[in-house]
Amino acid sequence: MKTKLYFTAIMFLGMMGVSNAQAQNPECMTNLSIFSEHAKVKNYEAAYEPWKKTYEACPQLNNAIYVYGERILNDKIEKSSGAEKEGYINELLGLYDNKLVHFSSKTSEGETMVDKAMVKYDNKMAGDSEMYAMLSEAFTKDRDNFTNPKALYLYFSSLVDLHDAGKKELQEVFDVYDEVTAKIDEENDKLTDNIAKLLPKEEAGTLTSKEKRSLKVYNSYSENYGKIAGSIDSKLGKLADCENLIPLYEKSFEEKKGDVKWVKAAVGRMYSKECTEDPMFKKLVEVQAQLDPSADTYVYLGSLKKSSGDTNGAVADYNKALELETDAKKKSNIAYKIATSYTKSSRSTARSYAQKAIDANPANGRAYLLIASLYAGSANECGSTPFEKRAIYWKAADMARQAGRVDPALSGRASQAATSYNAKAPTKEMIFSSGMAGQTVSFSCWVGGSIKVPAL
């Protein structure tokens, strides 16, 4: 039995890596093998004692001590109460600290601080002030590794609660909102870039098993970021309404008008909250144009013209921004903005710009959703029979589903849109009575292309 355990340990350590000095301790090696085998099959109760002995005697032996130790202790915490539970919680907090000491290459300061904060939050050991202080420090010290979606939400949520209690200023709420939403966008951009590389292989059926697992993880995380982004916006709620923003910026304008970062943040926030008709927005845009003339400035100038009813002038400024912008994702967002300006006047032009948005950033799911709505809005124009007119909704549904595929953060909206469009498409009874099952319907209107009728 002991020989078998040693053999298992050798194989395991060959994959995980060990500390040479501590690998000479036969008792640690044996216990490492025992607890890891138990932990692999989630028998955490049996794993605890050999894990504890290994952790205390040979903390540098193997990273598995910390990977499995976290799971073992979480199981203990879940199944205990009172002082016993508190003891396991403190043991887990210490485990995170020791992993940073002994296996710093496997973790980071930011991850450690976030992990400890999450343990305290989950076990109701920290109020808003402590939670915000811990997460603020983690974000400030190690922003790159602050990627936990739940922690990002709690970082902002605890601050809003402190503001509501009169303990934090509104400006700080806005500053952290900008930081957190920017971080979410960055992380989701990384995910959608990875997804975009794998989607063609998925459609061709050539994904490896490893790539399938990776795609599943990317999709899951992107969906989570989408949900968290929505929760953060809901938490911000009316704090960012124009009635709060405008007095705040009027009060700070003279002091801050030379601070380009503050000006850009103020303009961006008023723009996103559609406070563009207020004179303060124009004032801020003019200052930004002086401090930092850029593609963004032309977007805002276009918005001003659009608010005054000068649609042509607005589109001209948007196109200027499109020419100046060099970042592909920002260029995509500008093209999408132009597309939305044409939705009522020219659906074909709107689609053209939406396609430019997709060409610049294939993960721009909003552009796919826009095209889907353009198709759905053209049902009466695209067909000579009721069946043909309703068939356009299948094409709209396909486009909506593609939005969720390229950007899983939009999967909820995309799924709802696709379901809505499919409900308006020909029913099975209509397909049967028309005799069109499995055949192709072509569209001679501006939409063009065709759609294959589902087989019954």
Side-chain angles (χ1 to χ4, degrees):
M1 177 65 179
K2 185 173 289 189
T3 302
K4 183 177 179 181
L5 287 174
Y6 277 129
F7 178 75
T8 302
I10 291 170
M11 293 295 290
F12 183 80
L13 297 172
M15 293 184 289
M16 298 288 288
V18 299
S19 166
N20 289 331
Q22 294 188 359
Q24 304 303 314
N25 186 323
E27 184 177 359
C28 282
M29 294 290 287
T30 300
N31 283 324
L32 170 64
S33 178
I34 293 172
F35 86 68
S36 62
E37 289 302 316
H38 284 311
K40 284 178 185 177
V41 295
K42 300 182 179 181
N43 185 359
Y44 300 125
E45 189 65 34
Y48 179 75
E49 287 302 328
W51 167 80
K52 179 81 168 176
K53 291 177 182 178
T54 311
Y55 176 45
E56 292 179 345
C58 305
Q60 292 177 284
L61 179 61
N62 192 284
N63 188 45
I65 294 170
Y66 301 92
V67 175
Y68 287 136
E70 181 178 21
R71 302 176 195 177
I72 292 166
L73 288 173
N74 274 321
D75 182 71
K76 285 287 190 181
I77 291 168
E78 185 179 341
K79 295 175 179 177
S80 59
S81 60
E84 184 183 33
K85 181 174 185 175
E86 186 175 344
Y88 289 130
I89 291 171
N90 289 329
E91 195 169 7
L92 179 57
L93 295 173
L95 182 78
Y96 289 132
D97 287 332
N98 284 328
K99 182 176 182 179
L100 188 60
V101 172
H102 298 301
F103 286 90
S104 58
S105 64
K106 302 291 186 180
T107 186
S108 70
E109 185 176 16
E111 286 179 288
T112 300
M113 295 171 77
V114 167
D115 285 340
K116 293 174 69 175
M118 292 300 94
V119 170
K120 289 194 172 187
Y121 174 81
D122 290 339
N123 291 284
K124 298 179 175 57
M125 295 174 65
D128 290 327
S129 294
E130 184 179 358
M131 185 58 53
Y132 177 65
M134 292 176 70
L135 294 176
S136 179
E137 183 182 6
F139 193 91
T140 303
K141 285 187 174 180
D142 194 5
R143 183 183 185 280
D144 288 346
N145 291 301
F146 197 125
T147 59
N148 184 312
K150 180 180 177 181
L152 284 166
Y153 173 75
L154 289 174
Y155 175 32
F156 181 70
S157 175
S158 58
L159 173 59
V160 173
D161 290 341
L162 289 171
H163 166 75
D164 291 344
K167 297 179 180 179
K168 292 290 182 180
E169 296 295 327
L170 184 59
Q171 184 62 56
E172 186 171 356
V173 173
F174 289 149
D175 290 343
V176 172
Y177 174 84
D178 289 343
E179 293 169 357
V180 170
T181 54
K183 180 61 176 175
I184 290 172
D185 287 343
E186 288 171 20
E187 294 303 319
N188 194 54
D189 282 346
K190 294 175 188 176
L191 294 167
T192 54
D193 284 346
N194 289 330
I195 290 168
K197 294 174 184 176
L198 295 177
L199 281 180
K201 297 184 72 174
E202 182 187 44
E203 292 167 2
T206 58
L207 283 177
T208 65
S209 57
K210 181 179 180 180
E211 288 171 334
K212 287 179 181 178
R213 290 194 297 271
S214 295
L215 184 58
K216 184 177 180 180
V217 171
Y218 299 149
N219 283 330
S220 176
Y221 264 84
S222 182
E223 288 179 23
N224 286 337
Y225 280 123
K227 292 174 183 176
I228 290 299
S231 297
I232 286 173
D233 282 337
S234 296
K235 186 72 177 182
L236 181 64
K238 293 183 178 180
L239 290 178
D241 283 355
C242 299
E243 62 183 28
N244 286 322
L245 289 176
I246 294 167
L248 177 68
Y249 296 144
E250 287 176 338
K251 177 183 177 182
S252 305
F253 180 75
E254 288 301 325
E255 177 188 352
K256 298 281 192 177
K257 64 182 180 181
D259 183 344
V260 66
K261 182 179 179 181
W262 180 87
V263 171
K264 291 175 72 173
V267 172
R269 195 171 297 114
M270 290 189 74
Y271 176 75
S272 66
K273 293 300 179 181
E274 299 182 354
C275 307
T276 54
E277 295 184 6
D278 189 88
M280 192 64 207
F281 179 72
K282 182 179 180 180
K283 196 173 181 179
L284 286 164
V285 170
E286 289 172 348
V287 172
Q288 179 170 334
Q290 295 173 358
L291 295 174
D292 183 35
S294 62
D296 285 345
T297 305
Y298 278 98
V299 171
Y300 301 139
L301 290 171
S303 180
L304 284 171
K305 290 178 181 176
K306 189 175 181 180
S307 295
S308 66
D310 183 6
T311 302
N312 291 334
V315 170
D317 280 337
Y318 292 152
N319 274 304
K320 182 66 176 178
L322 199 58
E323 292 172 14
L324 291 174
E325 187 57 69
T326 57
D327 181 88
K329 287 186 170 64
K330 289 183 178 180
K331 186 180 284 287
S332 177
N333 291 335
I334 295 169
Y336 172 80
K337 181 67 179 177
I338 300 173
T340 62
S341 299
Y342 281 105
T343 53
K344 294 181 180 179
S345 59
S346 174
R347 291 192 180 103
S348 61
T349 304
R351 179 180 62 181
S352 176
Y353 277 103
Q355 187 58 54
K356 287 181 181 180
I358 293 168
D359 292 341
N361 175 20
N364 191 332
R366 293 185 304 158
Y368 282 104
L369 283 175
L370 178 60
I371 294 174
S373 69
L374 293 171
Y375 288 168
S378 301
N380 289 328
E381 305 169 24
C382 296
S384 56
T385 68
F387 185 91
E388 291 177 352
K389 290 179 179 181
R390 293 179 66 169
I392 196 71
Y393 289 111
W394 282 319
K395 196 172 181 70
D398 284 347
M399 194 61 67
R401 282 191 290 269
Q402 184 65 6
R405 282 193 288 269
V406 301
D407 185 359
L410 293 174
S411 59
R413 285 175 55 192
S415 178
Q416 287 180 345
T419 299
S420 174
Y421 296 143
N422 276 325
K424 297 175 182 177
T427 62
K428 289 184 178 180
E429 291 75 13
M430 291 179 70
I431 296 173
F432 178 78
S433 61
S434 69
M436 290 290 290
Q439 296 188 38
T440 299
V441 175
S442 297
F443 304 108
S444 58
C445 62
W446 71 270
V447 172
S450 61
I451 194 76
K452 187 174 182 180
V453 178
L456 294 175

